[in-house]
Amino acid sequence: MINIAIDGPAGAGKSTAARMAASRLGFIYVDTGALYRTVGVAALRRGIPTDDREKVAAMLPEITAELKFEDGVQHVILNGEDVSDAIRRPEASMAASNVSAIPAVRAFLFGLQKDMAKNNNVIMDGRDIGTVILPDAQLKIFLTASAEVRAKRRFDELTAKGTPVEYNTLLDEIKQRDYNDSHRAAAPLKAAPDAVLLDTSDMTLEKVVDRITELARGICADKKDGE
């Protein structure tokens, strides 16, 4: 199986680019951030502070989180409910940042992510894919962009969906999440030593997908030649 790991900070465009590249390549796209958002939403719905390690950990046996693919579209399921839209709201982003720092949550989702990569050709994106989840991935990419560019992208995305947001609020949240994700004790956000760095600040989405696809096809060709 061929595994491609894409890491990077919030709002870098990982999910969209990875999903499009996976479609081109015929791979399964695994959005690990969606799983952490799902745990965060589960905590919010229960009124549990998402930074309360003990209460979040105690909640985990009560929930099921899974990814389903229908006609190539990923759906995120929480206790049998499709929460694909709910996890994209701004409050779910910070909740995901908080719960992802909890070792019990990471252990809860670890096996699911590993199994998907073991049994499929995948493009998996997150914050510790190349460093922790798939350290042996044949291709690792660290996708980033300036905080201002990432905030503008998220602002445009949410505005298009009719969700009222303030740009400065999003910028502050992204900067705070960058700090949280890179300073947490459990699997902090960082580029793997052998990752390809891709700064997308001045790149169109199409150019980003082209580059990811180009790199992936090179890996596929090398694997075929080695067989």
Side-chain angles (χ1 to χ4, degrees), residues 36 56 67 94 130 175 222:
Y36 287 101
V56 171
L67 301 178
M94 287 307 297
K175 288 180 177 179
D222 289 344

Side-chain angles (χ1 to χ4, degrees), residues 1-27:
M1 295 299 170
I2 295 177
N3 294 166
I4 298 172
I6 301 181
D7 292 305
K14 300 185 302 295
S15 298
T16 303
R19 182 172 60 249
M20 292 175 66
S23 178
R24 288 189 189 181
L25 295 163
F27 284 23

Side-chain angles (χ1 to χ4, degrees), residues 44-116:
L44 290 173
R45 288 181 172 183
R46 287 166 170 75
I48 296 173
T50 54
D51 59 354
D52 188 319
R53 296 190 172 206
E54 291 186 1
K55 290 184 178 179
V56 171
M59 171 195 74
L60 297 177
E62 303 172 2
I63 69 172
T64 59
E66 58 184 320
L67 301 178
K68 291 186 177 180
F69 298 88
E70 298 177 3
D71 298 324
V73 178
Q74 174 183 275
H75 294 268
V76 188
I77 311 299
L78 170 63
N79 290 347
E81 177 191 350
D82 191 330
V83 293
S84 302
D85 290 332
I87 65 169
R88 297 303 170 188
R89 300 187 66 83
E91 60 269 23
S93 180
M94 287 307 297
S97 182
N98 288 338
V99 301
S100 67
I102 301 175
V105 174
R106 306 197 74 81
F108 176 71
L109 297 175
F110 183 81
L112 173 62
Q113 297 169 65
K114 294 285 284 188
D115 286 345
M116 296 188 76

Side-chain angles (χ1 to χ4, degrees), residues 2-7 17 21-22 24-25 27 122-123 137-144 194-200 203 206-224:
I2 295 177
N3 294 166
I4 298 172
I6 301 181
D7 292 305
R24 288 189 189 181
L25 295 163
F27 284 23
V122 302
I123 294 183
Q138 293 93 333
L139 173 62
K140 302 170 188 175
I141 298 171
F142 193 83
L143 202 68
T144 189
D194 54 345
V196 177
L197 179 63
L198 195 58
D199 189 324
T200 70
M203 297 176 69
E206 191 69 19
K207 291 289 186 182
V208 174
V209 177
D210 285 347
R211 181 57 177 151
I212 294 173
T213 305
E214 177 187 9
L215 291 167
R217 285 177 174 156
I219 295 296
C220 293
D222 289 344
K223 182 176 175 63
K224 185 175 181 180

